Amino acid sequence: MIEINNLSDFTVDKRFFLGVAKKVLKGENKELENLSIAFVSPKEIQKINKDYRKKDKPTDVLSFEKGNTFKEDFLEVLICPEIVKEKTLVSEKGLERELVKVLVHGVLHSLGYDHEKSVTEEKIMEEKENYYLSKI
């Protein structure tokens, strides 16, 4: 099951982002995983970033593996569209593409990929991101 909640001021095409998430989960042979995706405000993502990562600042995306978060049986991806827009300085049309990149990145993190572990892991994750982005 994949659930998408838009708690931000941005308009989000839930059906489109659901399709993106499904492609990544299917590609990773994890289509039976439960995934929760939430689009949140800068204030909310900053609070969660501070609580879980001890970083008192907003960020574009946070990801959590199963059992480490709010919903024990769900992978979690939190995205802040406002921060994504600020970081990328893109047009409204380009914003959706950037949100897709952040979603793919977040889903891969929630599945255990971590580009911060090593150069090898970084390369693996980057290749996977590029692969999924090429399919969307």
Side-chain angles (χ1 to χ4, degrees):
M1 177 175 101
I2 299 173
E3 66 177 29
I4 299 178
N5 295 296
N6 184 11
L7 308 172
S8 74
D9 292 333
F10 282 76
T11 301
V12 173
D13 182 345
K14 290 182 181 182
R15 186 177 302 181
F16 174 72
F17 288 102
L18 177 68
V20 171
K22 281 182 177 181
K23 278 186 184 187
V24 177
L25 290 176
K26 184 176 182 181
E28 295 299 309
N29 296 313
K30 301 287 186 179
E31 56 264 84
L32 297 179
E33 289 288 349
N34 291 321
L35 173 64
S36 176
I37 302 164
F39 294 89
V40 299
S41 70
K43 183 178 179 179
E44 183 65 21
I45 208 159
Q46 180 172 350
K47 179 186 179 305
I48 296 167
N49 200 20
K50 182 179 179 185
D51 290 349
Y52 287 89
R53 297 180 64 227
K54 308 302 181 226
K55 295 184 179 187
D56 191 11
K57 62 181 183 176
T59 188
D60 54 355
V61 64
L62 291 172
S63 306
F64 299 95
E65 295 180 37
K66 246 195 296 197
N68 292 329
T69 62
F70 320 102
K71 296 181 177 183
E72 290 295 313
D73 59 340
F74 277 75
L75 305 170
E76 291 267 343
V77 178
L78 305 169
I79 298 171
C80 182
E82 192 171 324
I83 299 300
V84 172
K85 187 174 183 178
E86 286 175 11
K87 282 187 170 187
T88 58
L89 299 172
V90 295
S91 66
E92 288 300 319
K93 188 164 182 85
L95 178 60
E96 185 173 89
R97 184 71 179 165
E98 292 301 315
L99 289 170
V100 167
K101 286 181 185 179
V102 170
L103 175 59
V104 169
H105 184 85
V107 172
L108 289 172
H109 263 304
S110 72
L111 291 171
Y113 294 98
D114 189 350
H115 58 88
E116 296 176 351
K117 280 185 181 176
S118 69
V119 174
T120 303
E121 286 287 319
E122 180 179 19
K123 185 175 181 177
I124 290 169
M125 192 167 172
E126 185 177 315
E127 287 174 0
K128 286 187 174 287
E129 285 175 1
N130 290 334
Y131 171 77
Y132 291 116
L133 290 171
S134 75
K135 299 295 181 190
I136 297 165

